[in-house]
Amino acid sequence: MKDTHARSRESRRVEGRCNTAPEKVPTYQELLDESLDQTFPASDPISPSAAMHAEQAIQSARDSRDWALAPDGAQACDAGAGTCQFVAHAGQGALVDGALARQAVEMALPAIDKALTSPEVSGMGVLSIIVMDPAALPGKGHFDEAILLEHAIGDPDTWDADYAGFARAKARLSWETGLDSSVVQATRPHVLRQGDTLLWGSVCLDGIVVAVSGAHPWFDEAFATAIAANVRALAKQRQAQALQERKLSV
């Protein structure tokens, strides 16, 4: 069912009240929302081609801008297991930052790399990882700006599905609900809204949201839990170091 914003735009087009060329045609987001209307609550994920135009600005009652495949300010990472990007966001300077998130992922990579060699874990042996900023709260900023890290294991150009998009959708669900996505799908389906993912494999550990996609969901969840636990441990370490430095400076 179309939201009020989409219905209003459609009415203006049908009634001939649009004055500019962009207003006379549906936006990319409206077309995507309409396609989701036709499939929800089907269990099959949307086609990877739905992310082809994610760099385009949109008009939507829910989001001011669509997801970006190559966020501004992204920095390359030389991690051996795959490509890695740090995403610029408003929360820079917090105790948990992009560098800590990267360290948390790298600590978990040896075990993850070994597990991905088994087809019982992942059919393609690839993975997309999203780490959210624990200090960025829903309702006080945009989802994209709350992403600390995106890490890809394997070449995304060769993937058989849009695992990066799936990981983002899982991350968003856990970020907005404060729950593991498996909990939402299994016991809290009443909190799902139109457009929310029906996949799982993300966790919210003491407010630390990590999402993973590419393996079976139970392993996605396991990898996400390990990374989130590393983030928590590293944050405690930083806090202890800061307190010790402050004590010594007094």
Side-chain angles (χ1 to χ4, degrees):
M1 182 177 181
K2 296 180 179 179
D3 60 29
T4 303
H5 180 83
R7 290 198 300 270
S8 175
R9 284 182 55 87
E10 185 175 56
S11 295
R12 287 177 57 83
R13 288 195 298 270
V14 172
E15 295 169 7
R17 293 187 287 119
C18 296
N19 299 320
T20 64
E23 289 182 306
K24 296 179 181 180
V25 295
T27 66
Y28 165 72
Q29 184 65 35
E30 286 181 284
L31 294 175
L32 178 58
D33 287 343
E34 184 174 356
S35 70
L36 290 174
D37 285 343
Q38 304 301 319
T39 59
F40 189 88
S43 60
D44 293 337
I46 63 173
S47 168
S49 63
M52 289 176 60
H53 305 290
E55 77 283 355
Q56 295 181 2
I58 61 164
Q59 296 181 37
S60 169
R62 181 171 174 180
D63 295 306
S64 59
R65 179 171 289 273
D66 204 352
W67 292 350
L69 292 181
D72 294 338
Q75 297 178 345
C77 166
D78 296 327
T83 59
C84 183
Q85 287 185 330
F86 290 97
V87 183
H89 64 95
Q92 290 179 336
L95 184 67
V96 176
D97 57 13
L100 185 146
R102 172 179 176 177
Q103 186 178 357
V105 172
E106 290 177 338
M107 288 171 63
L109 282 180
I112 292 175
D113 287 343
K114 182 176 180 180
L116 290 179
T117 61
S118 171
E120 295 183 357
V121 174
S122 171
M124 288 199 69
V126 301
L127 219 61
S128 179
I129 301 169
I130 303 288
V131 180
M132 303 296 294
D133 180 359
L137 303 177
K140 295 185 178 181
H142 193 275
F143 169 77
D144 286 336
E145 297 174 341
I147 297 175
L148 280 181
L149 177 89
E150 296 185 74
H151 183 82
I153 297 178
D155 183 0
D157 291 337
T158 66
W159 291 355
D160 62 345
D162 182 19
Y163 296 117
F166 300 157
R168 277 174 167 252
K170 296 177 188 181
R172 185 166 196 158
L173 183 62
S174 288
W175 184 64
E176 292 182 343
T177 63
L179 299 168
D180 294 359
S181 52
S182 62
V183 173
V184 174
Q185 307 298 353
T187 67
R188 305 284 184 88
H190 50 275
V191 306
L192 288 169
R193 302 158 301 177
Q194 185 172 348
D196 285 340
T197 184
L198 298 180
L199 305 174
W200 59 279
S202 57
V203 300
C204 183
L205 178 66
D206 293 341
I208 302 168
V209 172
V210 179
V212 175
S213 187
H216 291 296
W218 38 91
F219 287 114
D220 285 342
E221 184 180 65
F223 299 151
T225 300
I227 294 168
N230 288 343
V231 170
R232 183 174 62 182
L234 291 168
K236 290 180 177 180
Q237 180 186 50
R238 276 195 177 182
Q239 182 193 38
Q241 291 171 343
L243 291 172
Q244 181 64 23
E245 291 172 1
R246 180 177 180 181
K247 181 179 179 181
L248 294 175
S249 65
V250 173

